[in-house]
Amino acid sequence: MQILSINSGRPETITIGQRVATTGIFKTPIAGQVHVSTQGLVGDTIADTAHHGGIDQAVYLYSAEDYAWWEAKLQRPIPFGTFGENLTLSSFGPQPLRAGDRIAINAVLLEVTFPRIPCSTLAARMSDATFVQQFIQARRPGAYTRVLSTGDLQVNDPVTMEYASPGFPTLTELSDLWHDRDRHPDLLRKGLNAPIAERFKAIFQQWLERGSTPSDSVAHED
């Protein structure tokens, strides 16, 4: 496993339905060495800080294997960075990613915290109003991570996985749980016992206590 692309973005405008917003989703590959801080890639843009970024969503990862799947489905080439990921890895390895998995790259140590929850920004980026539902159904969400150790990265750096407890939920389980209208309490507790992002942990706790439906607490994500 290795880094195939490091992607960064500058603020750009995007039309989402009837509104125009500023976004950092338009990421393109960059050359040379990049520093990773606890807030993410230095120089990258996070436009909507209310819903994106922060220490629990500092670095977003996607894999070349997932890109190949999307290219086959959409019947067109898709450049790395299109999904807004900071790092495109050659693979996520033989096991499904789960909360708590750790990814070591040089001195950098990342910890998986949650899957990507798509919204209308991604649909607008893909110029397809149906893409949110396609992304959910594909069950290839990529991984948000927190930065446990900072450092420098560059393309072709080797990647090592440190797998978490098999008792922690996989990212596909967490994604399904987020979008399901009938959330089983045991699955919510499984998520709460894992090192998921704190903002999602708070929502899971609310759902567990209130038995809420998705419309009650679902936050805007992308």
Side-chain angles (χ1 to χ4, degrees):
M1 296 168 56
Q2 62 182 23
I3 298 175
L4 295 186
S5 185
I6 299 174
N7 313 300
S8 184
R10 296 184 179 277
E12 296 192 32
T13 58
I14 189 170
T15 300
I16 305 172
Q18 300 300 311
R19 66 184 176 92
V20 176
T22 300
T23 180
I25 198 172
F26 293 97
K27 301 196 190 301
T28 55
I30 56 176
Q33 196 171 75
V34 178
H35 186 72
V36 179
S37 75
T38 56
Q39 295 295 320
L41 269 63
V42 172
D44 185 38
T45 293
I46 300 172
D48 182 3
T49 55
H51 301 106
H52 304 154
I55 60 172
D56 284 341
Q57 294 175 270
V59 180
Y60 178 53
L61 312 178
Y62 214 64
S63 80
E65 293 176 340
D66 289 326
Y67 266 100
W69 187 91
W70 280 110
E71 287 183 337
K73 176 178 174 60
L74 300 179
Q75 293 294 292
R76 62 181 175 88
I78 306 175
F80 293 154
T82 297
F83 289 111
E85 80 277 8
N86 302 113
L87 302 179
T88 316
L89 305 186
S90 58
S91 168
F92 288 138
Q95 300 186 33
L97 282 180
R98 66 181 68 243
D101 280 351
R102 293 184 174 184
I103 300 164
I105 314 169
N106 301 335
V108 176
L109 184 62
L110 308 174
E111 184 175 62
V112 174
T113 60
F114 215 72
R116 188 220 197 105
I117 306 301
C119 77
S120 55
T121 304
L122 179 61
R125 170 70 178 92
M126 301 301 290
S127 301
D128 183 349
T130 72
F131 196 76
V132 168
Q133 194 59 34
Q134 291 184 57
F135 194 82
I136 293 168
Q137 292 174 347
R139 303 177 84 228
R140 295 173 178 269
Y144 277 119
T145 65
R146 60 172 63 95
V147 180
L148 300 181
S149 297
T150 64
D152 298 326
L153 304 175
Q154 60 186 3
V155 171
N156 296 325
D157 280 344
V159 175
T160 302
M161 296 293 302
E162 302 175 13
Y163 294 107
S165 165
F168 293 162
T170 67
L171 293 191
T172 51
E173 287 177 326
L174 287 169
S175 179
D176 291 347
L177 180 63
W178 182 269
H179 295 104
D180 195 354
R181 298 195 64 85
D182 183 19
R183 301 188 180 92
H184 196 285
D186 287 347
L187 295 178
L188 290 172
R189 293 188 186 97
K190 186 177 180 180
L192 288 168
N193 287 333
I196 65 172
E198 289 299 321
R199 60 192 301 266
F200 294 106
K201 186 171 287 190
I203 292 170
F204 278 19
Q205 188 64 47
Q206 289 179 3
W207 284 340
L208 186 63
E209 293 172 355
R210 296 163 44 197
S212 64
T213 60
S215 59
D216 290 329
S217 303
V218 170
H220 170 97
E221 287 304 320
D222 203 353

mmCIF file of all heavy atoms in Angstrom, residues 47-74:
data_model
loop_
_atom_site.group_PDB
_atom_site.id
_atom_site.type_symbol
_atom_site.label_atom_id
_atom_site.label_comp_id
_atom_site.label_asym_id
_atom_site.label_seq_id
_atom_site.Cartn_x
_atom_site.Cartn_y
_atom_site.Cartn_z
ATOM 1 N N ALA A 47 -13.936 25.019 3.708
ATOM 2 C CA ALA A 47 -14.774 26.211 3.631
ATOM 3 C C ALA A 47 -15.873 26.207 4.691
ATOM 4 O O ALA A 47 -16.117 27.228 5.336
ATOM 5 C CB ALA A 47 -15.377 26.331 2.232
ATOM 6 N N ASP A 48 -16.536 25.075 4.852
ATOM 7 C CA ASP A 48 -17.668 24.978 5.778
ATOM 8 C C ASP A 48 -17.176 24.338 7.070
ATOM 9 O O ASP A 48 -17.326 23.131 7.289
ATOM 10 C CB ASP A 48 -18.781 24.158 5.147
ATOM 11 C CG ASP A 48 -20.016 24.055 6.038
ATOM 12 O OD1 ASP A 48 -20.019 24.669 7.136
ATOM 13 O OD2 ASP A 48 -20.966 23.355 5.655
ATOM 14 N N THR A 49 -16.592 25.149 7.940
ATOM 15 C CA THR A 49 -15.995 24.600 9.160
ATOM 16 C C THR A 49 -17.038 24.150 10.184
ATOM 17 O O THR A 49 -16.694 23.463 11.139
ATOM 18 C CB THR A 49 -15.062 25.632 9.810
ATOM 19 O OG1 THR A 49 -15.783 26.849 10.046
ATOM 20 C CG2 THR A 49 -13.876 25.921 8.899
ATOM 21 N N ALA A 50 -18.291 24.522 9.968
ATOM 22 C CA ALA A 50 -19.332 24.057 10.893
ATOM 23 C C ALA A 50 -19.596 22.567 10.724
ATOM 24 O O ALA A 50 -20.011 21.892 11.670
ATOM 25 C CB ALA A 50 -20.628 24.840 10.664
ATOM 26 N N HIS A 51 -19.351 22.044 9.523
ATOM 27 C CA HIS A 51 -19.681 20.650 9.247
ATOM 28 C C HIS A 51 -18.498 19.825 8.776
ATOM 29 O O HIS A 51 -18.567 18.598 8.728
ATOM 30 C CB HIS A 51 -20.798 20.566 8.193
ATOM 31 C CG HIS A 51 -22.050 21.274 8.611
ATOM 32 N ND1 HIS A 51 -22.438 22.481 8.079
ATOM 33 C CD2 HIS A 51 -22.991 20.947 9.530
ATOM 34 C CE1 HIS A 51 -23.572 22.868 8.640
ATOM 35 N NE2 HIS A 51 -23.938 21.960 9.520
ATOM 36 N N HIS A 52 -17.410 20.482 8.384
ATOM 37 C CA HIS A 52 -16.256 19.775 7.845
ATOM 38 C C HIS A 52 -15.012 20.108 8.664
ATOM 39 O O HIS A 52 -14.941 21.143 9.328
ATOM 40 C CB HIS A 52 -16.008 20.170 6.386
ATOM 41 C CG HIS A 52 -17.173 19.948 5.492
ATOM 42 N ND1 HIS A 52 -17.382 20.668 4.344
ATOM 43 C CD2 HIS A 52 -18.209 19.083 5.570
ATOM 44 C CE1 HIS A 52 -18.488 20.263 3.744
ATOM 45 N NE2 HIS A 52 -19.009 19.301 4.478
ATOM 46 N N GLY A 53 -14.033 19.239 8.587
ATOM 47 C CA GLY A 53 -12.765 19.509 9.233
ATOM 48 C C GLY A 53 -12.818 19.342 10.734
ATOM 49 O O GLY A 53 -13.709 18.691 11.294
ATOM 50 N N GLY A 54 -11.851 19.922 11.414
ATOM 51 C CA GLY A 54 -11.715 19.716 12.849
ATOM 52 C C GLY A 54 -10.842 18.505 13.121
ATOM 53 O O GLY A 54 -10.508 17.738 12.212
ATOM 54 N N ILE A 55 -10.497 18.302 14.367
ATOM 55 C CA ILE A 55 -9.517 17.262 14.685
ATOM 56 C C ILE A 55 -10.017 15.852 14.400
ATOM 57 O O ILE A 55 -9.213 14.953 14.159
ATOM 58 C CB ILE A 55 -9.042 17.370 16.151
ATOM 59 C CG1 ILE A 55 -10.219 17.225 17.118
ATOM 60 C CG2 ILE A 55 -8.312 18.679 16.386
ATOM 61 C CD1 ILE A 55 -9.768 17.130 18.573
ATOM 62 N N ASP A 56 -11.325 15.639 14.412
ATOM 63 C CA ASP A 56 -11.855 14.295 14.154
ATOM 64 C C ASP A 56 -12.128 14.026 12.679
ATOM 65 O O ASP A 56 -12.446 12.901 12.297
ATOM 66 C CB ASP A 56 -13.151 14.071 14.942
ATOM 67 C CG ASP A 56 -12.897 13.820 16.417
ATOM 68 O OD1 ASP A 56 -11.759 13.473 16.771
ATOM 69 O OD2 ASP A 56 -13.837 13.979 17.218
ATOM 70 N N GLN A 57 -12.041 15.061 11.848
ATOM 71 C CA GLN A 57 -12.224 14.914 10.399
ATOM 72 C C GLN A 57 -11.118 15.673 9.680
ATOM 73 O O GLN A 57 -11.343 16.386 8.718
ATOM 74 C CB GLN A 57 -13.599 15.441 9.977
ATOM 75 C CG GLN A 57 -14.769 14.639 10.517
ATOM 76 C CD GLN A 57 -16.096 15.280 10.168
ATOM 77 O OE1 GLN A 57 -16.629 16.112 10.908
ATOM 78 N NE2 GLN A 57 -16.646 14.913 9.026
ATOM 79 N N ALA A 58 -9.903 15.457 10.152
ATOM 80 C CA ALA A 58 -8.783 16.262 9.677
ATOM 81 C C ALA A 58 -8.303 15.856 8.297
ATOM 82 O O ALA A 58 -7.913 16.702 7.485
ATOM 83 C CB ALA A 58 -7.628 16.179 10.677
ATOM 84 N N VAL A 59 -8.294 14.552 8.007
ATOM 85 C CA VAL A 59 -7.788 14.046 6.741
ATOM 86 C C VAL A 59 -8.778 13.026 6.197
ATOM 87 O O VAL A 59 -9.167 12.091 6.898
ATOM 88 C CB VAL A 59 -6.400 13.386 6.913
ATOM 89 C CG1 VAL A 59 -5.893 12.857 5.570
ATOM 90 C CG2 VAL A 59 -5.398 14.375 7.493
ATOM 91 N N TYR A 60 -9.199 13.236 4.949
ATOM 92 C CA TYR A 60 -10.138 12.316 4.303
ATOM 93 C C TYR A 60 -9.380 11.447 3.310
ATOM 94 O O TYR A 60 -8.576 11.941 2.514
ATOM 95 C CB TYR A 60 -11.244 13.107 3.600
ATOM 96 C CG TYR A 60 -12.246 12.247 2.864
ATOM 97 C CD1 TYR A 60 -12.907 11.200 3.493
ATOM 98 C CD2 TYR A 60 -12.541 12.482 1.524
ATOM 99 C CE1 TYR A 60 -13.828 10.407 2.815
ATOM 100 C CE2 TYR A 60 -13.464 11.710 0.838
ATOM 101 C CZ TYR A 60 -14.099 10.671 1.494
ATOM 102 O OH TYR A 60 -15.009 9.889 0.812
ATOM 103 N N LEU A 61 -9.639 10.137 3.365
ATOM 104 C CA LEU A 61 -8.947 9.160 2.531
ATOM 105 C C LEU A 61 -9.919 8.457 1.585
ATOM 106 O O LEU A 61 -11.049 8.144 1.959
ATOM 107 C CB LEU A 61 -8.291 8.087 3.406
ATOM 108 C CG LEU A 61 -7.449 8.529 4.603
ATOM 109 C CD1 LEU A 61 -6.931 7.308 5.344
ATOM 110 C CD2 LEU A 61 -6.309 9.415 4.160
ATOM 111 N N TYR A 62 -9.434 8.209 0.360
ATOM 112 C CA TYR A 62 -10.166 7.373 -0.582
ATOM 113 C C TYR A 62 -9.150 6.472 -1.272
ATOM 114 O O TYR A 62 -7.941 6.739 -1.218
ATOM 115 C CB TYR A 62 -10.930 8.234 -1.596
ATOM 116 C CG TYR A 62 -12.250 7.628 -2.017
ATOM 117 C CD1 TYR A 62 -13.275 7.459 -1.091
ATOM 118 C CD2 TYR A 62 -12.485 7.221 -3.326
ATOM 119 C CE1 TYR A 62 -14.487 6.903 -1.464
ATOM 120 C CE2 TYR A 62 -13.697 6.672 -3.707
ATOM 121 C CZ TYR A 62 -14.696 6.506 -2.769
ATOM 122 O OH TYR A 62 -15.891 5.951 -3.132
ATOM 123 N N SER A 63 -9.629 5.404 -1.888
ATOM 124 C CA SER A 63 -8.679 4.447 -2.466
ATOM 125 C C SER A 63 -8.797 4.385 -3.991
ATOM 126 O O SER A 63 -9.866 4.635 -4.568
ATOM 127 C CB SER A 63 -8.900 3.052 -1.883
ATOM 128 O OG SER A 63 -9.981 2.396 -2.515
ATOM 129 N N ALA A 64 -7.692 4.011 -4.623
ATOM 130 C CA ALA A 64 -7.690 3.827 -6.078
ATOM 131 C C ALA A 64 -8.612 2.696 -6.490
ATOM 132 O O ALA A 64 -9.184 2.718 -7.588
ATOM 133 C CB ALA A 64 -6.269 3.555 -6.560
ATOM 134 N N GLU A 65 -8.759 1.696 -5.624
ATOM 135 C CA GLU A 65 -9.683 0.598 -5.922
ATOM 136 C C GLU A 65 -11.120 1.114 -6.014
ATOM 137 O O GLU A 65 -11.888 0.673 -6.878
ATOM 138 C CB GLU A 65 -9.562 -0.485 -4.856
ATOM 139 C CG GLU A 65 -8.217 -1.198 -4.875
ATOM 140 C CD GLU A 65 -8.060 -2.204 -3.757
ATOM 141 O OE1 GLU A 65 -8.802 -2.105 -2.755
ATOM 142 O OE2 GLU A 65 -7.213 -3.091 -3.881
ATOM 143 N N ASP A 66 -11.481 2.032 -5.123
ATOM 144 C CA ASP A 66 -12.816 2.615 -5.190
ATOM 145 C C ASP A 66 -12.974 3.490 -6.429
ATOM 146 O O ASP A 66 -14.039 3.521 -7.057
ATOM 147 C CB ASP A 66 -13.109 3.418 -3.926
ATOM 148 C CG ASP A 66 -13.302 2.535 -2.712
ATOM 149 O OD1 ASP A 66 -13.842 1.422 -2.864
ATOM 150 O OD2 ASP A 66 -12.901 2.938 -1.603
ATOM 151 N N TYR A 67 -11.932 4.213 -6.786
ATOM 152 C CA TYR A 67 -11.989 5.005 -8.022
ATOM 153 C C TYR A 67 -12.221 4.100 -9.234
ATOM 154 O O TYR A 67 -13.013 4.428 -10.132
ATOM 155 C CB TYR A 67 -10.694 5.802 -8.202
ATOM 156 C CG TYR A 67 -10.784 7.203 -7.654
ATOM 157 C CD1 TYR A 67 -10.256 7.514 -6.411
ATOM 158 C CD2 TYR A 67 -11.407 8.222 -8.371
ATOM 159 C CE1 TYR A 67 -10.344 8.797 -5.891
ATOM 160 C CE2 TYR A 67 -11.504 9.508 -7.867
ATOM 161 C CZ TYR A 67 -10.970 9.792 -6.624
ATOM 162 O OH TYR A 67 -11.081 11.069 -6.113
ATOM 163 N N ALA A 68 -11.533 2.964 -9.277
ATOM 164 C CA ALA A 68 -11.707 2.037 -10.401
ATOM 165 C C ALA A 68 -13.148 1.539 -10.471
ATOM 166 O O ALA A 68 -13.725 1.391 -11.559
ATOM 167 C CB ALA A 68 -10.740 0.868 -10.260
ATOM 168 N N TRP A 69 -13.745 1.286 -9.304
ATOM 169 C CA TRP A 69 -15.142 0.831 -9.263
ATOM 170 C C TRP A 69 -16.064 1.916 -9.819
ATOM 171 O O TRP A 69 -16.962 1.626 -10.634
ATOM 172 C CB TRP A 69 -15.525 0.490 -7.829
ATOM 173 C CG TRP A 69 -16.871 -0.133 -7.691
ATOM 174 C CD1 TRP A 69 -17.175 -1.463 -7.716
ATOM 175 C CD2 TRP A 69 -18.130 0.564 -7.505
ATOM 176 N NE1 TRP A 69 -18.527 -1.644 -7.553
ATOM 177 C CE2 TRP A 69 -19.146 -0.434 -7.421
ATOM 178 C CE3 TRP A 69 -18.488 1.895 -7.384
ATOM 179 C CZ2 TRP A 69 -20.480 -0.110 -7.233
ATOM 180 C CZ3 TRP A 69 -19.831 2.227 -7.211
ATOM 181 C CH2 TRP A 69 -20.811 1.221 -7.134
ATOM 182 N N TRP A 70 -15.845 3.165 -9.410
ATOM 183 C CA TRP A 70 -16.691 4.259 -9.890
ATOM 184 C C TRP A 70 -16.500 4.504 -11.384
ATOM 185 O O TRP A 70 -17.465 4.800 -12.099
ATOM 186 C CB TRP A 70 -16.402 5.536 -9.098
ATOM 187 C CG TRP A 70 -17.066 5.579 -7.768
ATOM 188 C CD1 TRP A 70 -16.483 5.492 -6.534
ATOM 189 C CD2 TRP A 70 -18.474 5.714 -7.517
ATOM 190 N NE1 TRP A 70 -17.424 5.555 -5.537
ATOM 191 C CE2 TRP A 70 -18.657 5.700 -6.103
ATOM 192 C CE3 TRP A 70 -19.593 5.848 -8.342
ATOM 193 C CZ2 TRP A 70 -19.912 5.810 -5.520
ATOM 194 C CZ3 TRP A 70 -20.852 5.968 -7.756
ATOM 195 C CH2 TRP A 70 -20.999 5.947 -6.366
ATOM 196 N N GLU A 71 -15.262 4.388 -11.850
ATOM 197 C CA GLU A 71 -15.031 4.583 -13.286
ATOM 198 C C GLU A 71 -15.775 3.537 -14.110
ATOM 199 O O GLU A 71 -16.326 3.856 -15.176
ATOM 200 C CB GLU A 71 -13.538 4.543 -13.577
ATOM 201 C CG GLU A 71 -12.791 5.785 -13.094
ATOM 202 C CD GLU A 71 -11.327 5.769 -13.461
ATOM 203 O OE1 GLU A 71 -10.778 4.666 -13.693
ATOM 204 O OE2 GLU A 71 -10.728 6.852 -13.528
ATOM 205 N N ALA A 72 -15.800 2.307 -13.612
ATOM 206 C CA ALA A 72 -16.540 1.256 -14.314
ATOM 207 C C ALA A 72 -18.042 1.536 -14.284
ATOM 208 O O ALA A 72 -18.745 1.335 -15.283
ATOM 209 C CB ALA A 72 -16.230 -0.110 -13.701
ATOM 210 N N LYS A 73 -18.524 2.010 -13.150
ATOM 211 C CA LYS A 73 -19.959 2.275 -13.019
ATOM 212 C C LYS A 73 -20.387 3.468 -13.864
ATOM 213 O O LYS A 73 -21.426 3.421 -14.544
ATOM 214 C CB LYS A 73 -20.319 2.542 -11.548
ATOM 215 C CG LYS A 73 -21.779 2.929 -11.322
ATOM 216 C CD LYS A 73 -22.083 3.126 -9.851
ATOM 217 C CE LYS A 73 -23.495 3.664 -9.630
ATOM 218 N NZ LYS A 73 -24.542 2.763 -10.164
ATOM 219 N N LEU A 74 -19.611 4.542 -13.836
ATOM 220 C CA LEU A 74 -19.990 5.768 -14.523
ATOM 221 C C LEU A 74 -19.502 5.814 -15.967
ATOM 222 O O LEU A 74 -19.861 6.721 -16.713
ATOM 223 C CB LEU A 74 -19.461 6.985 -13.755
ATOM 224 C CG LEU A 74 -19.974 7.133 -12.314
ATOM 225 C CD1 LEU A 74 -19.348 8.359 -11.656
ATOM 226 C CD2 LEU A 74 -21.493 7.203 -12.259
#
